[in-house]
Amino acid sequence: MQIILGITGGVAAYKSAELARLLANQGHRVRCILTEAGARFITPLTLTSLTGEPCYGANPDQGEWRANPSIEHIELARWADLVAVVPATANILGKAANGLASDLLSTVLLATRAPVLWAPAMNTGMWEHPAVQANLQRLRGFGHAVVEPGEGVLACGEEGSGKLAEVAAIAEAIQVHGTPKLGSLLGRKVLITAGPTREDLDPVRTLTNRSTGSMGIELARAFRDVGAKVHLVLGGDLPEPWGVETVRVRSAQQMLEACEARWMDSDGLVAVAAVADQRPESAATQKVKKTDGIETLALVRTPDILAALGADRRPGQWVIGFAAESENHLEHAGEKLKKKGLNAILVNDVQTGRGFGAQANTLTPLTAQGPQPSLGPLPKDLLARAVVQWWAGHLQSERS
Ligand SMILES: Cc1cc2nc3c(=O)[nH]c(=O)nc-3n(C[C@H](O)[C@H](O)[C@H](O)COP(=O)(O)O)c2cc1C
């Protein structure tokens, strides 16, 4: 994405440097515009060093907005896929809400047709003032997104609301707001399971597997970004993705119950979780002591979540499964597709060293029409986006 990052005059401006670096590391092109007050808090040199792109000043005689100011602001407005203002002062909110264009940033904001996102930061009294809230309401009415500030100790020493949102959350919101929405998934409710399950043997020991949950989390993000309403049922320890309603579970039984509670209200299921096939017949309430000789562990089957939800389906609900196979992967996955009545299965060849915990991965979609062109190898975030694009196209072609 090509992002204009507007930085206005608040103490939180130093955090915009971290945001600029994070966005650049994520592969975005980031060009910063500093207001005159913003330039008192952070220098263009820091921002150009972090982004590798020019940094623009407030006025024609500053930074790159020099040669032909009447054209430059239009070019920047057109260049942007998204304009984010972080931190946003009460002043810039008021200007943008009322169509004022007195410097480069406010002019670009007025000229651009790209999505706009605000991350305000200010003293609690300013934040709670009806004028500021009315301006924000007006900006929301223009279709702009607002990442609300949190509560905490502010630079002025007061404690209350007005503290800039976390940089990671702002980066996630930029991803969501800047991603074009896909018609076949927009507003659709997608249930996703992710991560390992854990079956306890006793209070300190557990049966689990090497799944981390990262692929399912990336898929939740990717579906969220294109406009789906995502419910994530998550095992494991990875943090919950921003903007996704997440339920934490531990065992296969808990995962089944969490899914059943949401399934009837969902349009589709993406079952990525590595669900344990077996659990101990009984979990001891006290730590099991070692004994001499061979010790045995009696295992029983856990519920088959995919089969249970697949069997309990209303017309139009779709189900995508995952298969991590180490041999004859397409053949085994084809059997699973038929047996469980899935719409598609994404096949992961774990034998090649890709899959659980790996950074890059390849997935081959399999439908009733047979194997589809493989997606990847790609890092999991890009692979998840490729899966979502493929599935949205598949749904679209089924409709037409
Ligand atoms: C030390 C200092 C800190 C400030 N912090 C904030 C702030 O966090 N939020 C805010 O809305 N204004 C803050 N202001 C006031 C703005 O800098 C002032 O309204 C300025 O005109 C904003 O200009 P700009 O929106 O063009 O950047 C601060 C001012 C000073 C001197």
Side-chain angles (χ1 to χ4, degrees):
M1 217 187 296
Q2 297 188 161
I3 300 168
I4 299 271
L5 179 60
I7 301 163
T8 61
V11 181
Y14 74 95
K15 293 188 185 164
S16 60
E18 199 187 326
L19 177 65
R21 189 181 61 161
L22 178 61
L23 293 171
N25 286 349
Q26 288 173 347
H28 301 294
R29 287 183 69 190
V30 184
R31 290 186 176 175
C32 297
I33 301 179
L34 280 165
T35 62
E36 204 171 327
R40 294 203 197 109
F41 290 90
I42 182 164
T43 70
L45 187 59
T46 306
L47 297 165
T48 44
S49 308
L50 292 172
T51 61
E53 296 275 348
C55 175
Y56 298 79
N59 298 305
D61 56 350
Q62 291 173 330
E64 306 275 334
W65 198 31
R66 267 185 308 232
N68 194 343
S70 60
I71 301 296
E72 186 76 81
H73 66 272
I74 301 299
E75 276 183 3
L76 275 172
R78 284 191 193 131
W79 180 85
D81 296 316
L82 177 135
V83 182
V85 186
V86 185
T89 52
N91 179 57
I92 190 74
L93 294 172
K95 278 162 66 170
N98 291 286
L100 300 185
S102 58
D103 60 5
L104 180 58
L105 180 60
S106 51
T107 311
V108 167
L109 281 161
L110 203 56
T112 194
R113 291 191 169 87
V116 176
L117 179 139
W118 302 93
M122 62 198 73
N123 158 275
T124 308
M126 293 167 79
W127 171 248
E128 290 175 351
H129 197 286
V132 170
Q133 291 303 319
N135 287 334
L136 278 166
Q137 212 41 40
R138 191 131 203 252
L139 293 168
R140 285 195 183 96
F142 301 156
H144 296 185
V146 178
V147 186
E148 299 253 344
E151 296 200 355
V153 179
L154 306 174
C156 56
E158 279 181 30
E159 196 170 344
S161 54
K163 193 179 168 74
L164 186 73
E166 293 296 323
V167 165
I170 298 170
E172 294 262 10
I174 286 173
Q175 188 64 48
V176 176
H177 199 54
T179 303
K181 305 301 171 233
L182 294 175
S184 54
L185 288 168
L186 183 62
R188 298 285 168 197
K189 291 180 185 161
V190 179
L191 180 62
I192 299 179
T193 68
T197 53
R198 287 172 175 150
E199 306 296 339
D200 294 335
L201 279 81
D202 66 18
V204 294
R205 300 185 184 93
T206 190
L207 279 183
T208 188
N209 57 60
R210 288 165 59 189
S211 162
T212 58
S214 60
M215 190 64 218
I217 287 173
E218 291 304 343
L219 275 161
R221 284 200 174 104
F223 274 99
R224 171 201 70 187
D225 291 351
V226 299
K229 291 197 172 83
V230 181
H231 267 113
L232 178 65
V233 179
L234 179 63
D237 298 321
L238 289 181
E240 298 164 15
W242 182 88
V244 170
E245 210 174 308
T246 305
V247 183
R248 290 267 180 194
V249 293
R250 192 169 168 81
S251 66
Q253 184 61 33
Q254 284 175 2
M255 187 169 272
L256 175 67
E257 286 166 16
C259 288
E260 280 178 338
R262 281 156 193 84
W263 181 222
M264 272 308 120
D265 191 35
S266 303
D267 294 292
L269 167 73
V270 189
V272 199
V275 183
D277 289 326
Q278 301 96 2
R279 65 169 173 81
E281 190 179 21
S282 60
T285 51
Q286 300 298 327
K287 186 180 169 194
V288 176
K289 302 280 180 224
K290 62 181 174 237
T291 54
D292 291 334
I294 294 173
E295 297 181 54
T296 55
L297 180 63
L299 298 174
V300 293
R301 286 296 311 272
T302 52
D304 186 334
I305 298 173
L306 199 50
L309 299 186
D312 187 19
R313 224 190 299 188
R314 60 174 167 73
Q317 270 183 318
W318 46 263
V319 178
I320 301 178
F322 262 69
E325 303 285 352
S326 57
E327 55 176 355
N328 300 334
H329 47 284
L330 283 178
E331 197 184 309
H332 288 160
E335 285 163 16
K336 191 169 168 183
L337 181 85
K338 278 202 205 107
K339 200 168 125 202
K340 302 198 179 180
L342 309 179
N343 299 74
I345 192 158
L346 294 158
V347 190
N348 193 341
D349 180 2
V350 288
Q351 191 70 356
T352 57
R354 298 202 165 106
F356 288 173
Q359 284 311 307
N361 203 358
T362 301
L363 290 170
T364 307
L366 192 64
T367 66
Q369 284 79 47
Q372 309 295 309
S374 291
L375 308 169
L378 283 169
K380 286 182 177 172
D381 54 343
L382 299 182
L383 184 61
R385 283 185 226 164
V387 167
V388 168
Q389 292 288 337
W390 168 75
W391 183 242
H394 182 89
L395 288 177
Q396 195 65 46
S397 65
E398 273 190 340
R399 273 193 208 165
S400 51

